[in-house]
């Protein structure tokens, strides 16, 4: 045992992993966390199921990190998704892999993950203190402790794992970014990532008209000033303010300014001609019905009035009265249903924070500051974020493991 005194600031996913790795290396670890419960944000991830990681190789991980992925190459080499899965199974949490290679506890309970981490902390005799860190103690270019609201804690190494600024109710208040900046680090602009989007259906129809409608197996394309910047396939949800759901959250990572439009292909399995033939069959089958009742096999009931209004077709019109021109316009709309984006929801509603401590100022192998000796970073406080699917937790585990092993 080296009895090196180590302070880990933050009791979320990254902080818990960093404390465990440091203690396993023989360090004398103190974990500072102001919340009554450790892993508060961890417990609500994946809708309470905890998407632990993504069961893919390193290249697969990096392909899902739109910014600063190369910085994580070393950390992923040391602690990849297979290592994460083995780590939790060794702690007694059976895992399963679902669609999209998403990994969850067999129990579908995030609390099993946080409880396993807490048990490991206790076994390693990590001291957990309920205190909020307010400042770093730095002397002669090296960190020497942490100042908390309830006390001062001397340390030969400090791991900042305070999270970002999303979900502030879980304790992510941006304190880590402030402390990093006070230590001389550059903090890139902070904004919400994996965040729902505000918008209107083009032609001024509010999305609230479709509130609660969930669509599966749709293709989504993002255009910024008429330039295609992102495509995805999967699920989305209409809300009172706009749209949400897995494909929308991932799309939000790519939106930088105004002038964005999402275009949905509501029938991606059918080419234009086949879709028109399908519509013709429906119109013939229901030729004596009104248009709002003739499309029930083609579209969700709540979507029909919106589509008809968008095409300026009367809902009461008989199906056999629809012109060829309007029928083709219907095909075009179903293959390219437009939503104009008016903005992102507040960062407080984001799953993850985009921005953070600049990666060029951090050693990618040890997560140690290049400016302050003994200061390390882990998790969301670093300027790295990814798409949905377990990739952000994988970043937390890998950077925390690298930092914890280095200080321990």
């Amino acid at each position: 045992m080296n009895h090196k005194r180590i302070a880990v600031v933050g009791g979320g996913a990254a902080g818990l992993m960093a404390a465990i790795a440091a203690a396993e290396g023989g360090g004398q670890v103190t974990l500072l966390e102001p919340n009554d419960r450790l892993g508060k944000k961890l417990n609500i991830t994946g809708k309470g199921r905890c998407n632990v990681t993504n069961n893919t190789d390193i290249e697969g991980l990096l392909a899902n990190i739109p910014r600063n992925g190369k910085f994580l190459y070393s950390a992923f080499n040391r602690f990849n998704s297979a290592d994460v899965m083995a780590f939790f199974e060794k702690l007694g949490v059976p895992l399963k892999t679902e669609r999209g290679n998403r990994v969850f506890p067999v129990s579908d309970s995030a609390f099993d993950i946080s409880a396993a981490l807490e048990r490991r902390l206790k076994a390693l005799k990590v001291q957990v203190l309920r205190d909020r860190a307010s400042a770093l103690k730095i002397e002669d270019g090296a960190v020497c402790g942490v100042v908390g609201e309830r006390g001062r804690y001397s340390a030969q190494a400090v791991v900042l794992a305070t999270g970002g600024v999303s979900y502030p109710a879980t304790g992510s208040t941006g304190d880590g970014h402030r402390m990093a900046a006070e230590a001389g680090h550059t903090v890139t602009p902070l904004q919400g990532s994996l965040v729902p989007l505000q918008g209107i259906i083009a032609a001024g129809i509010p999305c609230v008209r479709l509130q609660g409608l969930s669509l599966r197996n749709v293709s989504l394309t993002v255009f910024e000033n008429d330039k295609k910047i992102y495509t995805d396939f999967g699920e989305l949800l209409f809300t009172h303010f706009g749209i949400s759901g897995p494909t929308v959250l991932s799309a939000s990572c790519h939106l930088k300014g105004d002038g964005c439009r999402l275009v949905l292909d509501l029938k991606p399995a059918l080419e234009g001609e086949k879709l028109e033939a399908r519509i013709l069959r429906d119109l013939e089958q229901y030729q004596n019905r009104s248009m709002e009742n003739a499309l029930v096999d083609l579209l969700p009931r709540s979507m029909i009035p919106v589509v008809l209004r968008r095409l300026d077709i009367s809902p009461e019109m008989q199906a056999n009265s629809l012109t060829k021109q309007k029928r083709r316009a219907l095909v075009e709309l179903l293959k390219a249903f437009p939503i104009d984006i008016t903005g992102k929801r507040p960062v407080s509603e984001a799953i993850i924070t985009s921005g953070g401590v600049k990666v060029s100022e951090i050693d990618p192998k040890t997560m140690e500051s290049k400016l302050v000796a003994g200061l390390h970073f882990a998790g969301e406080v670093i300027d790295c974020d990814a798409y949905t699917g377990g990739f952000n937790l994988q970043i937390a585990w890998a950077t925390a493991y690298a930092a914890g092993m280095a200080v321990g």
Side-chain angles (χ1 to χ4, degrees):
M1 299 290 283
N2 61 35
H3 298 297
K4 181 180 178 182
R5 291 192 307 278
I6 299 158
V8 176
V9 182
L16 295 171
M17 180 62 79
I20 288 169
E24 285 180 344
Q28 185 180 327
V29 183
T30 298
L31 176 65
L32 302 179
E33 168 55 54
N35 283 321
D36 291 336
R37 190 179 187 98
L38 297 173
K40 193 169 182 180
K41 185 177 178 183
L42 181 63
N43 288 332
I44 62 173
T45 60
K47 298 180 180 178
R49 297 174 63 214
C50 190
N51 188 178
V52 180
T53 185
N54 193 281
N55 191 0
T56 186
D57 58 18
I58 292 174
E59 296 306 318
L61 295 174
L62 295 175
N64 283 276
I65 301 169
R67 281 181 296 278
N68 298 325
K70 288 182 180 179
F71 169 78
L72 297 165
Y73 192 83
S74 178
F76 284 166
N77 260 302
R78 193 167 192 181
F79 201 60
N80 58 33
S81 55
D83 296 323
V84 169
M85 294 169 68
F87 173 85
F88 283 106
E89 298 232 328
K90 188 177 179 182
L91 292 186
V93 184
L95 302 174
K96 60 182 176 179
T97 300
E98 297 187 355
R99 181 178 53 83
N101 294 323
R102 290 168 165 85
V103 178
F104 294 92
V106 170
S107 65
D108 286 328
S109 174
F111 287 101
D112 285 356
I113 296 295
S114 58
L117 292 168
E118 283 196 67
R119 286 195 301 271
R120 188 61 182 150
L121 288 179
K122 289 178 182 177
L124 292 166
K125 296 182 169 53
V126 172
Q127 184 181 25
V128 178
L129 298 179
R130 306 297 176 182
D131 197 357
R132 181 182 296 279
S134 57
L136 298 172
K137 291 169 64 180
I138 299 171
E139 293 179 4
D140 300 324
V143 72
C144 58
V146 178
V147 179
E149 293 177 349
R150 299 181 179 180
R152 291 171 172 260
Y153 312 95
S154 61
Q156 293 154 286
V158 173
V159 180
L160 269 186
T162 51
V165 290
S166 56
Y167 285 133
T170 64
S172 300
T173 58
D175 286 349
H177 295 120
R178 175 184 54 77
M179 287 186 275
E182 289 170 353
H185 276 278
T186 304
V187 177
T188 61
L190 304 175
Q191 57 181 330
S193 187
L194 300 183
V195 64
L197 299 174
Q198 298 175 165
I200 57 172
I201 299 165
I205 302 172
C207 284
V208 69
R209 292 282 299 272
L210 295 175
Q211 182 178 356
L213 174 63
S214 178
L215 298 178
R216 294 185 176 185
N217 302 321
V218 296
S219 175
L220 173 152
T221 304
V222 182
F223 292 89
E224 190 169 62
N225 298 321
D226 296 325
K227 180 183 177 183
K228 184 189 294 186
I229 60 171
Y230 179 73
T231 61
D232 201 357
F233 178 87
E235 301 176 27
L236 63 84
L237 171 71
F238 286 93
T239 69
H240 66 285
F241 55 76
I243 47 176
S244 187
T247 57
V248 173
L249 297 180
S250 289
S252 72
C253 299
H254 296 270
L255 304 188
K256 297 178 177 64
D258 299 328
C260 290
R261 172 177 281 198
L262 301 190
V263 176
L264 308 180
D265 184 344
L266 302 175
K267 300 293 178 181
L270 296 175
E271 295 297 329
E273 290 183 5
K274 290 185 177 179
L275 177 58
E276 185 171 8
R278 159 71 196 278
I279 292 171
L280 264 174
R281 287 199 304 272
D282 283 3
L283 294 176
E284 288 171 1
Q285 181 180 355
Y286 300 123
Q287 58 182 310
N288 295 320
R289 289 190 183 184
S290 64
M291 281 301 299
E292 65 179 346
N293 290 317
L295 300 179
V296 290
D297 294 342
L298 186 70
L299 293 168
R301 176 70 72 173
S302 62
M303 200 165 204
I304 295 173
V306 172
V307 166
L308 294 177
R309 178 180 165 185
R310 183 79 173 77
L311 296 171
D312 197 25
I313 297 172
S314 169
E316 289 79 30
M317 176 195 288
Q318 254 192 325
N320 59 13
S321 300
L322 191 70
T323 66
K324 182 178 181 180
Q325 182 183 16
K326 287 291 187 181
R327 188 178 71 238
R328 289 193 169 167
L330 174 58
V331 172
E332 290 175 7
L333 181 60
L334 298 187
K335 296 297 287 182
F337 188 85
I339 301 171
D340 289 330
I341 301 305
T342 57
K344 295 180 179 181
R345 294 296 287 173
V347 67
S348 59
E349 296 181 25
I351 293 176
I352 204 81
T353 302
S354 176
V357 179
K358 197 171 184 179
V359 296
S360 62
E361 299 171 358
I362 304 172
D363 184 328
K365 293 182 179 179
T366 63
M367 299 297 139
E368 184 174 16
S369 164
K370 294 179 180 179
L371 310 180
V372 181
L375 175 61
H376 298 248
F377 301 97
E380 201 176 340
V381 73
I382 302 170
D383 183 16
C384 289
D385 60 281
Y387 302 141
T388 57
F391 302 104
N392 286 292
L393 268 181
Q394 176 62 37
I395 292 173
W397 307 132
T399 56
Y401 186 81
M405 291 296 289
V407 297

